[in-house]
Amino acid sequence: MEGLLREIDFSRLQPGHLPNVEALCGQRLGESATAAIRRQLGGDSAIDLLAKELAEELLCTRVFFAHLQDERVTSLLAVGADRLEVERGSQRETIEGVFPSEESLQRVALWMTALAGRPVHEGDPIVRTRLPDGSALQAVLPPFSTGGCLLALRRPTPSLGDLAGLALNGVVPSGLVPLLHALVSARLTLVVAGGTEDARGAVVDALLTAVPTSDRVVVVDDEGSLGVGLGGAIRLRPNEAASPARLLDAAARFRPDRLVLRGLDLGSTPDFLRIASAGAGGSLATLEACSPRDAVDRLIAQTAQGIGEPAASRLLVGAVSALLYLSRRADGRPVLEALCEIALGDGERVAVNELVRFHPRPDGGGVFTGSGSRPALAELLEQRGHRFPATTWRFQQSVA
């Protein structure tokens, strides 16, 4: 099926092309059907009937598949058979009547989830998985979705390479690369928040390129894609039988030099902070958040249960040194909106001190500006052998 879709130009497909599409479907089905499959289906006549039904289905859903094959599209969301939301970067378009029926949409959802090895059905009505190309896919069937089947696809963020690659791709200013390298080398724990999960993961992967090969790294990742370049890493994958919180307990027993965690949440945040503050300095984690302040407030709230907010604040500041908050440019590319220092402020409140801020322009570019103030973590970096001049904190750099 995947190969067949690549052969059809859905952007030009019209009802009059049905015979040609039917012939192509019949040819490909005939090539792939073994003798046993032919017998089970009922012979060549059944193959011909299946080819006709498949061709008609492809014709009816040609608008969806045309967008699926458009490389400029970064996200697709089908909300029932009547509405398809298409994103190209930050530009969103709504198309109505893409699927001829709810049954047609559900068949597409079944095919796409089956391609990822987990077909959606009544017994498993909510499926979140990855396609072979890395795209994030989620399907939700009624009655869990009241307006019809929901089918969402998000393209993966391309690899950003190493720290220099972050600058080449416009995610960070080139003047910030030495500081990011020092933060990793000095074993300061960092949290990457905001943006999409794929973008956060790509930035974490770039930061991990600065980790010495001698470090023992434990990666807890339910998708299995973080830190794939770390050949010697110990990898743990949460599932229904083993939650991230449970695996963090196992991770601590490996005595890691660094811990890498995808997706801080209520169950995993307290343990991550304790492990990072107790010896696994230089750890990295991702977090969904709406702003730098929101990220810090979420971490405190997720840690405060059982120990109270003041103790949670002290634990956070003792464990995490800096926060990298991402957003998206107009074309969908990730960008470092703010680099923030995490420190204790007045009255036990955690302060979020911006060191770098990105100011976007309407043309998609923007300007990175430093705060001009020397942060407290500069002293910690100096203690660990990384000295930076005063100009590090008051730079200004434009990016296209």
Side-chain angles (χ1 to χ4, degrees):
M1 183 68 173
E2 187 179 11
L4 178 63
L5 293 179
R6 287 196 293 266
E7 296 185 58
I8 301 175
D9 186 353
F10 286 94
S11 63
R12 299 183 180 181
L13 187 60
Q14 298 298 326
H17 300 157
L18 179 59
N20 294 334
V21 176
E22 185 177 332
L24 178 61
C25 290
Q27 181 182 351
R28 294 294 172 261
L29 287 172
E31 292 171 352
S32 60
T34 64
I37 291 176
R38 288 176 184 275
R39 287 194 300 270
Q40 185 176 4
L41 290 175
D44 290 342
S45 60
I47 294 288
D48 293 339
L49 180 59
L50 183 60
K52 180 178 178 61
E53 293 176 351
L54 177 58
E56 292 175 347
E57 187 70 26
L58 291 175
L59 187 66
C60 290
T61 55
R62 63 187 184 278
V63 174
F64 173 79
F65 284 114
H67 285 91
L68 182 67
Q69 293 180 320
D70 188 344
E71 295 182 354
R72 298 169 300 171
V73 171
T74 54
S75 174
L76 289 169
L77 172 60
V79 184
D82 297 328
R83 190 168 95 240
L84 178 68
E85 296 182 1
V86 182
E87 290 187 10
R88 294 175 177 85
S90 61
Q91 305 300 314
R92 180 179 297 174
E93 174 188 9
T94 300
I95 306 173
E96 297 182 354
V98 172
F99 297 93
S101 65
E102 171 68 15
E103 292 74 17
S104 175
L105 170 57
Q106 291 194 25
R107 280 193 293 270
V108 171
L110 174 63
W111 169 74
M112 295 187 69
T113 51
L115 183 63
R118 188 183 165 189
V120 65
H121 53 81
E122 290 183 358
D124 191 9
I126 303 176
V127 171
R128 179 174 175 264
T129 185
R130 291 267 177 180
L131 292 176
D133 70 352
S135 295
L137 180 68
Q138 178 165 277
V140 183
L141 297 180
F144 296 95
S145 55
T146 58
C149 175
L150 298 176
L151 182 63
L153 178 139
R154 188 181 68 250
R155 303 286 190 198
T157 299
S159 172
L160 300 173
D162 56 11
L163 294 179
L166 292 182
L168 289 174
N169 286 282
V171 181
V172 304
S174 58
L176 196 62
V177 170
L179 175 60
L180 293 177
H181 193 282
L183 291 173
V184 177
S185 299
R187 298 184 179 278
L188 302 186
T189 292
L190 310 175
V191 171
V192 180
T196 64
E197 182 55 49
D198 284 338
R200 295 192 290 269
V203 170
V204 166
D205 281 337
L207 294 168
L208 287 172
T209 62
V211 172
T213 57
S214 58
D215 282 6
R216 177 182 295 171
V217 181
V218 177
V219 181
V220 181
D221 174 18
D222 61 351
E223 297 187 5
S225 59
L226 277 185
V228 293
L230 298 173
I234 299 171
R235 313 190 66 84
L236 302 175
R237 192 164 186 171
N239 54 34
E240 294 179 358
S243 65
R246 183 177 179 185
L247 288 183
L248 284 177
D249 180 65
R253 298 176 189 276
F254 290 115
R255 294 183 292 112
D257 297 309
R258 300 175 190 263
L259 177 63
V260 180
L261 173 64
R262 181 192 292 274
L264 287 165
D265 57 27
L266 182 62
S268 62
T269 297
D271 289 332
F272 175 82
L273 296 180
R274 292 188 186 101
I275 295 171
S277 62
S283 294
L284 292 162
T286 66
L287 173 69
E288 184 176 354
C290 302
S291 68
R293 181 76 252 175
D294 177 58
V296 169
D297 288 345
R298 290 190 185 202
L299 292 173
I300 294 172
Q302 291 167 185
T303 309
Q305 293 190 11
I307 64 173
E309 187 170 318
S313 298
R314 290 192 294 270
L315 178 60
L316 173 61
V317 172
V320 179
S321 297
L323 171 74
L324 286 76
Y325 184 79
L326 307 177
S327 61
R328 291 198 302 171
R329 296 203 203 181
D331 60 3
R333 288 183 296 164
V335 65
L336 178 69
E337 181 177 315
L339 172 64
C340 305
E341 175 188 42
I342 307 300
L344 272 181
D346 296 334
E348 296 288 336
R349 179 173 170 80
V350 175
V352 184
N353 303 324
E354 283 192 5
L355 309 183
V356 177
R357 163 67 65 169
F358 177 70
H359 303 277
R361 296 193 304 260
D363 64 1
V367 180
F368 290 99
T369 58
S371 65
S373 302
R374 186 176 186 271
L377 64 77
E379 182 177 349
L380 182 57
L381 288 171
E382 287 186 7
Q383 294 173 0
R384 301 185 182 187
H386 302 275
R387 183 182 297 273
F388 289 91
T391 53
T392 301
W393 319 109
R394 58 172 182 262
F395 74 92
Q396 185 174 80
Q397 183 177 335
S398 297
V399 293

